[in-house]
C-alpha cells in the first residue's frame, strides 16, 4: 500500500456519507429557495407596484481547487477564477468534523460544521497582497462581513501590514465591528501587530473605542498582553488611562492581573510603569475588588509590587473576600517558590502591612523563608496548630532546624532585641522602607531591622 493512502474505517465512511448527504440536501434546499424567490419576483414584476430588482444572488463555493488557489496564494489561478464582481464576492464554504454533544445519544459525536469566509478574508489573513489587490479591483466588497469578520479583522489579527494598508487604502472601515463586537484594533494582540495598529490609527481608528460586550479599550488589550510599544502608541493618540471596562478594571488592573509568568515579568513591568507615568490610578479596584497590588501579589511579581507601592498603593485594603495584598501573596507562595516570595512579603511589611491573620500561615507553610519573615513581624509566636500540619514531610526534614526553632518559641517571650525591632518598625509604619535608612544606627542594626533571613527564629 502506498504511504500516501490509508484505510477508511467504517466510521470514516459513515461520516463521509453523512457529509455528502448533508451537502446534497443543502443544494436541494438552496435550489428550492432560489426557485421560490424567482416565482415571487416574476409575480411582482407583473404587478403595477412591481418591486425593485433584487441585489445579486449570493453564491457559495465548495470547490477544493478554488479553495487551494486562495489558501496558497496562487495569483494566476486567482486571476483566472475571479474575473468579476459576482465571483469576487462568492462565499467560500468549508465543512469540518467537530465534536458536538448529543443529548439524545448521551455522548459526543462528530458532526459536520459549516464555516463561511470570503476570498478577500482568506488572502488578507495570509498576506497575499497581489491576490487581495486583484479581488478589490474586481469589485470585492472591502467591508463584507462573512463568517463573523471582515477582511480587515483577519489581516490585523494575522499581522499582515501590507494587506492592512491595501484594504484601508481601498476604503475599509478601520472601526468596523465583528460579530463578536471587536474592532480591528482590538485584534492587535501580539508585538508583530504594531505596524497594523499604527496604520489603523493613521486611517482614523478610534483609540478609545471599546469592545461591545466587555467595554475593553485597545489600551486594555495591549496592557493585558504586555505590549509596551502598543501602549506607548495608544497613549500618544490620546488613550484614556482611566477608562474602566464592564468589570471596573483599568488598563493597569489588566496588566497586573496578566503578569503571571516569570519570563514575562519585564514586559508587564514596563507596561505598568508607562501607565503610571501617564497618570493611571494605582488605587482603583476592579473585578472582585482586586486592586493592581492584589493582582501583582497574586502573581508574586516583586518589581511590580515595589513599583505600585512607590506610587502609593494601599497595603491593607481588602478585596471582596476580605483578603489583603499580603493574603494574596501568601496564597501564591506555593506556585512561585522560585520567585523569591519572601521579598514580596518584606516589601509589603516595609510599607506598613498589618500582621498576617494566623489562619493564612498554612499557605506559606512549605516555604521556611516566607514563614520566617512573617513570624518575625509578630512580637511572639502564636500557636502553630493552624499551619504545622500543612508542612510537607520532605520540607520539614530539609528545614528541621527552622521548624524546631519555631515550635520552641510558641507562646514564649521573644528576645528583647526582637521586641525592640517590632516596636521600631511599628513606629515607622508605612515609612519603614525609608525610615530605617535615616536612623542613626550602626549598619548591622539597620540590617536587622529589615528582617534578614537567618534560617531559624531567635
Amino acid at each position: 500500500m502506498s504511504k500516501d493512502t490509508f484505510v477508511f474505517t467504517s466510521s470514516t465512511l459513515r461520516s463521509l456519507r453523512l457529509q455528502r448527504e448533508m451537502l446534497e440536501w443543502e443544494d436541494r434546499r438552496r435550489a428550492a429557495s432560489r426557485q421560490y424567490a424567482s416565482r415571487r419576483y416574476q409575480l411582482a414584476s407583473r404587478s403595477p407596484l412591481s418591486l425593485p430588482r433584487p441585489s445579486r444572488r449570493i453564491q457559495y463555493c465548495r470547490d477544493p481547487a478554488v479553495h487551494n488557489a486562495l489558501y496558497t496564494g496562487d495569483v494566476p489561478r486567482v486571476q483566472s477564477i475571479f474575473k468579476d464582481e459576482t465571483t469576487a464576492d462568492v462565499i467560500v464554504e468549508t465543512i469540518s468534523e467537530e465534536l458536538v454533544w448529543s443529548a439524545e445519544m448521551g455522548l459526543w459525536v462528530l458532526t459536520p460544521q459549516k464555516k463561511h469566509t470570503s476570498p478577500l478574508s482568506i488572502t488578507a489573513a495570509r498576506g497575499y497582497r497581489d491576490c487581495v489587490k486583484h479581488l478589490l479591483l474586481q469589485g470585492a466588497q472591502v467591508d463584507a462581513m462573512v463568517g463573523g469578520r471582515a477582511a480587515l479583522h483577519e489581516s490585523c489579527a494575522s499581522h499582515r501590514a501590507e494587506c492592512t494598508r491595501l484594504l484601508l487604502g481601498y476604503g475599509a472601515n478601520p472601526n468596523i465591528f465583528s460579530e463578536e463586537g471587536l474592532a480591528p484594533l482590538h485584534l492587535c494582540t501580539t508585538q508583530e501587530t504594531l505596524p497594523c495598529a499604527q496604520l489603523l490609527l493613521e486611517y482614523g481608528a478610534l483609540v478609545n473605542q471599546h469592545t461591545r460586550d466587555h467595554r475593553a479599550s485597545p489600551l486594555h488589550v495591549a496592557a493585558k498582553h504586555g505590549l509596551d510599544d502598543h501602549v506607548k502608541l495608544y497613549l500618544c493618540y490620546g488613550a484614556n488611562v482611566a477608562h474602566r471596562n464592564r468589570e471596573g478594571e483599568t488598563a493597569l488592573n489588566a496588566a497586573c492581573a496578566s503578569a503571571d509568568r516569570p519570563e514575562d515579568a519585564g514586559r508587564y513591568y514596563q507596561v505598568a510603569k508607562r501607565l503610571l507615568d501617564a497618570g493611571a490610578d494605582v488605587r482603583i479596584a476592579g473585578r472582585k475588588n482586586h486592586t493592581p497590588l492584589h493582582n501583582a501579589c497574586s502573581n508574586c511579581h516583586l518589581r511590580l509590587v515595589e513599583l505600585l507601592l512607590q506610587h502609593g498603593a494601599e497595603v491593607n485594603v481588602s478585596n471582596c473576600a476580605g483578603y489583603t495584598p499580603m493574603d494574596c501573596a501568601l496564597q501564591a507562595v506555593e506556585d512561585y517558590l522560585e520567585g523569591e516570595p519572601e521579598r514580596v512579603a518584606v516589601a509589603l511589611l516595609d510599607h506598613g502591612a498589618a500582621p498576617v491573620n494566623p489562619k493564612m500561615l498554612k499557605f506559606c507553610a512549605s516555604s521556611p523563608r516566607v514563614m520566617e519573615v512573617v513570624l518575625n513581624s509578630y512580637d511572639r509566636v502564636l500557636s502553630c496548630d493552624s499551619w504545622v500540619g500543612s508542612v510537607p514531610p520532605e520540607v520539614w526534614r530539609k528545614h528541621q532546624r527552622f521548624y524546631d526553632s519555631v515550635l520552641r518559641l510558641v507562646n514564649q517571650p521573644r528576645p528583647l532585641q526582637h521586641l525592640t525591632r517590632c516596636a521600631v518598625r511599628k513606629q515607622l509604619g508605612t515609612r519603614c522602607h525609608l525610615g530605617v535608612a535615616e536612623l542613626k544606627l550602626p549598619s548591622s542594626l539597620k540590617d536587622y531591622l529589615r528582617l534578614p533571613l537567618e534560617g531559624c527564629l531567635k
Side-chain angles (χ1 to χ4, degrees), residues 145-411:
M145 193 76 65
V146 183
R149 287 184 175 184
L152 190 60
H153 290 112
E154 301 293 353
S155 69
C156 291
S158 302
H159 51 85
R160 308 295 184 182
E162 288 303 314
C163 290
T164 298
R165 184 190 302 276
L166 187 60
L167 292 167
L168 290 168
Y170 273 79
N173 179 5
N175 297 301
I176 188 172
F177 273 115
S178 67
E179 288 184 359
E180 298 173 317
L182 304 176
L185 210 53
H186 298 130
L187 297 173
C188 295
T189 58
T190 64
Q191 182 61 35
E192 293 80 10
T193 61
L194 182 62
C196 292
Q198 291 173 321
L199 286 167
L200 289 168
L201 291 169
E202 289 172 7
Y203 277 84
L206 301 176
V207 73
N208 289 312
Q209 186 177 40
H210 53 74
T211 59
R212 187 179 297 134
D213 294 334
H214 298 292
R215 297 184 60 81
S217 69
L219 193 63
H220 279 90
V221 175
K224 178 181 178 181
H225 290 88
L227 304 176
D228 183 45
D229 290 335
H230 288 65
V231 170
K232 180 180 179 181
L233 174 68
Y234 298 157
L235 291 174
C236 288
Y237 273 82
N240 181 12
V241 294
H243 174 74
R244 303 175 72 171
N245 64 13
R246 194 172 296 280
E247 294 178 326
E249 294 187 332
T250 64
L252 182 61
N253 292 97
C256 294
S258 301
D260 57 351
R261 298 196 307 173
E263 59 269 28
D264 296 332
R267 293 195 296 116
Y268 285 99
Y269 174 83
Q270 292 298 331
V271 167
K273 187 176 186 306
R274 193 174 298 280
L275 291 170
L276 288 167
D277 291 343
D281 190 343
V282 75
R283 296 166 296 179
I284 290 181
R287 185 175 62 89
K288 298 182 179 180
N289 283 346
H290 275 234
T291 65
L293 187 58
H294 281 97
N295 291 326
C297 289
S298 296
N299 293 326
C300 197
H301 196 318
L302 176 62
R303 292 184 66 201
L304 199 49
V305 167
E306 293 175 336
L307 178 68
L308 295 170
L309 291 172
Q310 290 168 11
H311 283 78
E314 298 180 8
V315 293
N316 291 315
V317 64
S318 298
N319 61 17
C320 66
Y323 294 134
T324 64
M326 177 66 87
D327 295 332
C328 293
L330 296 185
Q331 290 172 329
V333 165
E334 191 171 349
D335 294 329
Y336 295 98
L337 289 174
E338 303 300 324
E340 298 182 300
E342 67 278 1
R343 294 183 62 187
V344 173
V346 170
L348 293 170
L349 291 169
D350 283 349
H351 283 78
V356 177
N357 186 324
K359 294 181 179 180
M360 300 301 298
L361 294 178
K362 63 182 178 181
F363 294 108
C364 62
S366 59
S367 174
R369 298 170 68 86
V370 177
M371 182 68 73
E372 181 178 348
V373 168
V374 174
L375 291 179
N376 276 333
S377 67
Y378 297 99
D379 57 5
R380 62 192 178 92
V381 177
L382 304 176
S383 172
C384 301
D385 295 342
S386 64
W387 61 267
V388 70
S390 301
V391 182
E394 62 276 11
V395 175
W396 189 286
R397 288 192 297 269
K398 184 176 180 180
H399 302 279
Q400 187 166 357
R401 176 171 173 263
F402 168 77
Y403 290 111
D404 288 346
S405 71
V406 174
L407 294 178
R408 283 196 301 269
L409 289 173
V410 172
N411 292 322

Side-chain angles (χ1 to χ4, degrees), residues 15-229:
S15 175
L16 291 172
R17 185 175 67 254
L18 290 173
Q19 181 176 344
R20 184 192 62 195
E21 291 174 354
M22 180 169 287
L23 290 173
E24 291 175 349
W25 177 85
E26 184 67 18
D27 286 338
R28 291 195 297 271
R29 186 189 67 80
R30 289 196 179 120
S33 177
R34 288 195 298 269
Q35 185 177 9
Y36 175 73
S38 177
R39 287 178 179 175
R40 288 193 62 185
Y41 178 72
Q42 290 175 1
L43 290 173
S45 63
R46 297 171 188 158
S47 169
L49 300 175
S50 59
L51 297 174
R53 183 177 295 275
S55 59
R56 65 177 184 274
R57 177 170 52 85
I58 298 176
Q59 294 188 359
Y60 294 80
C61 173
R62 281 173 261 161
D63 189 338
V66 176
H67 295 186
N68 186 64
L70 292 169
Y71 282 103
T72 59
D74 189 339
V75 177
R77 286 281 293 159
V78 169
Q79 291 175 339
S80 65
I81 295 171
F82 301 95
K83 297 181 178 181
D84 53 32
E85 187 177 353
T86 301
T87 55
D89 276 332
V90 69
I91 293 180
V92 178
E93 184 177 84
T94 58
I95 296 181
S96 60
E97 296 283 345
E98 293 184 6
L99 282 174
V100 177
W101 176 256
S102 173
E104 295 180 359
M105 301 176 64
L107 47 80
W108 290 91
V109 295
L110 281 173
T111 304
Q113 297 292 326
K114 293 180 183 178
K115 294 183 179 180
H116 292 161
T117 185
S118 68
L120 199 59
S121 291
I122 294 173
T123 52
R126 283 154 182 78
Y128 301 143
R129 185 183 182 281
D130 291 339
C131 294
V132 170
K133 185 174 183 179
H134 172 76
L135 292 167
L136 291 170
L137 290 173
Q138 299 308 311
Q141 297 182 52
V142 71
D143 284 333
M145 193 76 65
V146 183
R149 287 184 175 184
L152 190 60
H153 290 112
E154 301 293 353
S155 69
C156 291
S158 302
H159 51 85
R160 308 295 184 182
E162 288 303 314
C163 290
T164 298
R165 184 190 302 276
L166 187 60
L167 292 167
L168 290 168
Y170 273 79
N173 179 5
N175 297 301
I176 188 172
F177 273 115
S178 67
E179 288 184 359
E180 298 173 317
L182 304 176
L185 210 53
H186 298 130
L187 297 173
C188 295
T189 58
T190 64
Q191 182 61 35
E192 293 80 10
T193 61
L194 182 62
C196 292
Q198 291 173 321
L199 286 167
L200 289 168
L201 291 169
E202 289 172 7
Y203 277 84
L206 301 176
V207 73
N208 289 312
Q209 186 177 40
H210 53 74
T211 59
R212 187 179 297 134
D213 294 334
H214 298 292
R215 297 184 60 81
S217 69
L219 193 63
H220 279 90
V221 175
K224 178 181 178 181
H225 290 88
L227 304 176
D228 183 45
D229 290 335

